[in-house]
Amino acid sequence: MCGIAGFFDKSENNHDVGQVLLSMLEGLACRGPDSTGVALFAPGADHEVVLRLKLGEEGNCSACLGALRNFLDREFRARHQLTSYGNAVRLKVTDIADVSTLAAGIEALDKRIEIVSVGECMEIVKQVGSPADLDRAYAVGQMKGTHGIGHTRLSTESKVDLSHSQPFGSHQLGDLAIVHNGHITNYHQLRRQYEQRKIRFFTENDSEVVAIYLADQINKGLALREALHAMLADLDGSFSCLVATANQFGLVKDQFALKPLLWAETGSFVALANEEFAIRSALPGAYDVREAQAREVRVWER
Amino acid sequence: MGEVNCEGRTSREVNAEIKRQVHEGENPIVVRNPAARHNLCVAILQPVNVQIEGSVGYYCAGLIDGATVEVAGSAGWGLAESMMNGLVEVHGSAGNGAAAAIRGGTVVIHGDAAARLGISMKGGTVIVTGNCGYMAGFMAQKGTLIVCGDAGEAFGDSMYETLCYVGGKVRSLGTDAVIEELSPKEAGALDALLAQHLDSGERSKLPAGIDFKKVAAGRKLWNFDKREWKTWQEAL
């Protein structure tokens, strides 16, 4: 099962993207009771990068937090801002030369520290629990932005913890997030190929390879739409996937149309989910909702 | 006239209330604010008319026998699945597996249908005024499947005695599906059937009966023949 949802505001205003996604995810929670997450996109400030980090799974993470604080004070004294949320933190850094060096520096501090998201305008928050739990932990309902995607997980093949929750980002490309409903059956083969190229996987979840694959295709120079078409040829199995970047928002459905995925578009928004109930309960009004076809790729851009 | 408001109620509560009103003899019954709830109107076994004022979720009107269910909106997966008899009409598009395994009755979709329309249908009639997706009619056994627009890939794969009619293009035929000649008599029957279920305005925008393609089983898969091993290898 798994619930996936996406919302793209067509106006230039900072819409209540967090609240809309949260309502959609509440409608989808029955499809995935294990964990919940969202990736939210809002216009970022120049020379500013936001990272969301996990400092260990449960319990005491003060050692990791201490190591992180020392590192930041040493390297980015007046140029960072750290907010703590239990075992996760939000880190904003300004004027950095190279994001990947920063990321590598942080992850070298302690093997329990993991980068959940990195980007100039994207932030991923996710954890074990319901949409209401996610809202309590991160006040998702108050987050503003332009677009975002969310996920409620029913785990089928890998463990239930924050790392294995969705959305997934990629260390190879910032400002990219995916959510996936289905199974990637050639996951192990693809993973082996990427690992031979020294690309690190952080989880055992097959959905992680979707983010790594798309980041790789985009880094090779493909436009998002082309990358999604390429995915239809290169990834096997069942997938209804949503993907978001700084200014794009898209969907792809596998060749057998094995998982549901619906889309609705009006003059002011695009909403995607795998149950119409989720879209209708979050967005009242009169509009059509349609099922995406097999091999359908759609991309919206601002 | 009966009335059921879905607001604040689960699908189970809504269905129980519909059935209670059916037993009290209410007819028609109007269902308000469905908000795409799942499983609405499942297994109604009386010839009652239910009007749903909005979109429905998965498995709407599944297993019904004799009821008329009209949806003023779109429908999710498994619309009218395994219906025995009755009429299900959707004024919008339908998700995957609409009219799957129906035994009788009629399903009319005034819009598009997604993948696996009418798979394994064992009777009845399906009319889609728009297009249908991948693998419609797969292993369908009896009945009539009419797509007024374009049909998706692998149309009519591995069928038995179901007859299909397509007004637009067929993206690709499934294994053992063949295009047969449409007789004027059949075209007339098709026109009459469409006239029965579509109003004249809607009908006038669609192709005339004689312009439909007829798709039926080529009967190559009905009996195993090792001389036709190639066909069997390609079949799913």
Side-chain angles (χ1 to χ4, degrees), chain B residues 11 15 18-19 31 37-45 48 50-52 56-71 74-90 97-108:
Chain B
S11 294
N15 282 339
I18 292 170
K19 288 192 176 174
V31 178
R37 275 171 179 71
H38 300 316
N39 310 324
L40 292 178
C41 295
V42 163
I44 296 177
L45 308 178
V48 63
V50 184
Q51 305 283 326
I52 304 179
V56 294
Y58 298 174
Y59 307 114
C60 175
L63 298 162
I64 62 166
D65 193 359
T68 295
V69 177
E70 198 167 347
V71 179
S74 47
W77 281 33
L79 171 78
E81 195 174 285
S82 297
M83 166 169 84
M84 299 300 286
N85 200 358
L87 172 65
V88 176
E89 207 161 343
V90 173
I102 61 168
R103 307 274 310 222
T106 304
V107 176
V108 185

Side-chain angles (χ1 to χ4, degrees), chain A residues 136-268:
Chain A
R136 270 192 290 278
Y138 295 101
V140 172
Q142 281 153 43
M143 291 184 181
K144 307 278 182 197
T146 50
H147 58 291
I149 55 178
H151 188 268
T152 61
R153 178 168 183 237
L154 176 79
S155 81
T156 49
E157 87 312 308
S158 58
K159 73 179 176 191
V160 177
D161 66 8
L162 188 154
S163 305
H164 287 74
S165 307
Q166 296 195 40
F168 279 111
S170 158
H171 279 48
Q172 275 63 50
L173 181 67
D175 289 329
L176 170 88
I178 67 101
V179 288
H180 166 226
N181 173 207
H183 283 100
I184 304 300
T185 47
N186 60 343
Y187 159 69
H188 290 285
Q189 200 182 340
L190 290 164
R191 177 171 178 158
R192 220 165 20 247
Q193 287 166 13
Y194 283 116
E195 284 179 336
Q196 280 166 0
R197 289 169 47 194
K198 308 284 179 229
I199 291 174
R200 187 176 155 198
F201 282 67
F202 292 82
T203 75
E204 302 285 320
N205 188 330
D206 60 337
S207 305
E208 188 183 7
V209 80
V210 177
I212 287 174
Y213 173 85
L214 289 174
D216 187 44
Q217 297 300 319
I218 292 168
N219 282 338
K220 278 183 191 162
L222 262 59
L224 180 62
R225 185 186 300 276
E226 295 165 340
L228 292 175
H229 278 291
M231 181 171 154
L232 286 167
D234 293 337
L235 270 66
D236 288 339
S238 61
F239 49 84
S240 280
C241 272
L242 312 183
V243 54
T245 69
N247 58 354
Q248 286 178 310
F249 181 72
L251 66 83
V252 57
K253 193 184 235 188
D254 70 76
Q255 60 174 330
F256 302 115
L258 286 170
K259 296 288 173 187
L261 175 55
L262 300 144
W263 61 279
E265 182 171 9
T266 72
S268 54

